[in-house]
Amino acid sequence: MANSAGRGAVRTPERRDRRAAAALVGILVTAWLGAGVAWGAEETAPPGPVALVAAALSEAPAVDGDLTEWQAVEQSAVASMNRAAQVLPDRLPRWAGPDDLSAEIRLGVHGDDLYLAARVEDDQLFHDPDAPYWNGDSLEVFFDFDREAGVAPPHSYTPGCMQLFLMPLNPDLAWSVVFRGEGMYFGDAGMRDVTVAHRVRDGGYDFEARVPLANFGVSDRRAREIGFALALNDADTEPTVPGTYMSWNEGFDLWRFPDHFGTLT
């Protein structure tokens, strides 16, 4: 049955609680500048190359959290997160296996829009709207539209790089951008018409998202390779105790290093 929060597709970052946004920024900056950085003070090594090919969809999916129409999508368009090697090492003791947290995420393109369909296994759903995004159940989607075939990707964010949070279980805010280029936003960062809808079910939740490619200045529909990564957050009890963090391509420090991304065509 569709969860009413699935209608959060129409909620936008402009309507977020300003106090919560300010608290997020403060927590983030403190985490980076403090002595005990939780997100990896030491740089992790870039992962090996991993690629996805977005399916060419014959029709635009109805973004309603029902994944039935995605079942025939080819395997090359499916990103799976279900292995211990995909868990951030210092969070591995908190991961109790695929029933605790795992996901299959399908990607497709129709017209000028990128679509994501995620089936998330999660034995305890949690998202506090007043806590940092990554301290609740959420999916991080990373883009690098500046990537050029045959050219080594940059080590730091350029204008075409973005960290987009999809937070279907957040009752106040379904999506938000943290980093875009060198800027930190905790808002829409100029993004428009992103749509998110979800359905809660036994053992987890399903959700769909539509991301218009016009937000990235893409007007040419021909296939192109971009930098791309996915990361899944899980918090089971309280926002001050982050749970599992999984990366599709086994790359970490994705919020600062685009050369740790995989690719999407």
Side-chain angles (χ1 to χ4, degrees):
M1 183 173 69
N3 184 297
S4 61
R7 297 182 65 84
V10 300
R11 295 192 304 273
T12 62
E14 294 94 331
R15 298 176 60 186
R16 70 190 184 280
D17 187 317
R18 293 180 182 274
R19 291 175 301 171
L24 286 171
V25 175
I27 292 169
L28 179 60
V29 172
T30 300
W32 286 336
L33 300 181
V37 178
W39 282 4
E42 295 182 3
E43 181 178 338
T44 57
V50 182
L52 288 168
V53 179
L57 303 175
S58 59
E59 297 181 359
V63 180
D64 57 7
D66 183 352
L67 307 188
T68 303
E69 58 194 321
W70 288 87
Q71 299 310 309
V73 167
E74 52 267 30
Q75 198 62 31
S76 59
V78 180
S80 297
M81 287 184 272
N82 53 24
R83 297 179 288 105
Q86 296 170 301
V87 180
L88 185 68
D90 66 3
R91 306 278 183 89
L92 188 55
R94 300 171 186 167
W95 187 57
D99 289 340
D100 177 33
L101 184 69
S102 59
E104 279 199 346
I105 300 162
R106 292 168 166 78
L107 294 110
V109 174
H110 181 268
D112 298 320
D113 298 318
L114 174 68
Y115 292 88
L116 297 90
R119 180 175 178 86
V120 181
E121 305 302 328
D122 187 343
D123 59 359
Q124 187 169 344
L125 307 185
F126 182 90
H127 200 110
D128 182 342
D130 294 327
Y133 304 155
W134 50 90
N135 280 12
D137 298 337
S138 58
L139 178 70
E140 301 177 34
V141 187
F142 299 86
F143 299 98
D144 177 8
F145 277 88
D146 291 334
R147 184 166 295 201
E148 299 180 36
V151 178
H155 191 51
S156 58
Y157 273 40
T158 59
C161 296
M162 177 184 290
Q163 180 189 27
L164 171 66
F165 274 79
L166 301 179
M167 303 171 287
L169 302 182
N170 185 330
D172 295 339
L173 189 65
W175 64 273
S176 186
V177 175
V178 175
F179 286 107
R180 185 169 194 174
E182 296 181 352
M184 182 171 63
Y185 292 89
F186 289 97
D188 62 36
M191 296 277 283
R192 294 291 182 268
D193 300 322
V194 176
T195 307
V196 180
H198 79 282
R199 300 188 181 203
V200 172
R201 54 173 171 76
D202 290 342
Y205 60 100
D206 302 331
F207 76 91
E208 293 176 285
R210 167 182 169 264
V211 182
L213 295 173
N215 285 305
F216 304 97
V218 176
S219 58
D220 187 344
R221 294 189 181 185
R222 290 178 298 179
R224 59 178 290 187
E225 181 180 284
I226 65 169
F228 186 79
L230 296 162
L232 195 61
N233 294 293
D234 177 39
D236 288 338
T237 54
E238 56 181 299
T240 54
V241 183
T244 305
Y245 179 92
M246 303 188 79
S247 167
W248 155 66
N249 69 327
E250 301 180 22
F252 302 105
D253 296 315
L254 299 167
W255 56 278
R256 54 179 177 162
F257 299 138
D259 56 350
H260 289 199
F261 296 1
T263 62
L264 173 67
T265 303

